[in-house]
Amino acid sequence: QVQLAESGGGLVQAGGSLRLSCAGSGRTVSNYAVGWFRQAPGKEREFVATISWTGAMIYYADSVKGRFTISRDNAKNTVYLQMNSLKPDDTADYVCAARRWRTPALRPYEYDYWGQGTQVTVSS
């Protein structure tokens, strides 16, 4: 079993930056692809970014491309989401997920393990 714990959320002004962390425990996530999703109140869960087990394959949602960077440190069993140039539209609960495959995926149903989420609020 894999447990995931997000951290790093908070309140930031538009244009600011935050770095989210997704720490794995239990079984290692170093062999799994990991993705970040977000959900704003009243909206569906939205794909943000995903990374393969080695970091060689990375995909981003168009809405965050050029502003967000996903990375991983398998020695620390942790995946990161660096968020720059934040906008009020980025306000959401951010959740990381891992899937029992090494290749990344874009849809929530393709993931097997989920964290509890961390809130990101961007003020205008």
Side-chain angles (χ1 to χ4, degrees):
Q1 190 72 7
V2 172
Q3 290 83 42
L4 302 172
E6 302 91 341
S7 61
L11 174 64
V12 64
Q13 289 188 330
S17 298
L18 284 173
R19 188 176 82 154
L20 305 184
S21 298
C22 173
S25 60
R27 296 187 65 180
T28 178
V29 295
S30 61
N31 291 330
Y32 296 167
V34 173
W36 284 96
F37 294 82
R38 67 186 182 185
Q39 188 165 17
K43 295 187 177 180
E44 293 188 353
R45 181 167 287 178
E46 175 188 24
F47 164 74
V48 176
T50 183
I51 186 168
S52 63
W53 72 295
T54 63
M57 298 172 65
I58 290 175
Y59 300 99
Y60 297 100
D62 288 342
S63 58
V64 307
K65 202 172 294 183
R67 300 187 298 121
F68 291 11
T69 302
I70 189 171
S71 62
R72 66 190 303 157
D73 185 340
N74 286 339
K76 295 182 178 180
N77 214 21
T78 301
V79 174
Y80 304 98
L81 185 68
Q82 177 68 43
M83 306 187 296
N84 299 328
S85 303
L86 283 161
K87 306 174 181 179
D89 284 349
D90 295 318
T91 295
D93 184 48
Y94 284 72
V95 183
C96 67
R99 64 190 236 109
R100 292 190 300 262
W101 298 91
R102 296 182 172 181
T103 52
L106 307 186
R107 290 167 288 271
Y109 71 82
E110 297 179 287
Y111 288 81
D112 303 293
Y113 307 104
W114 291 84
Q116 294 298 311
T118 184
Q119 179 66 36
V120 170
T121 303
V122 184
S123 63
S124 58

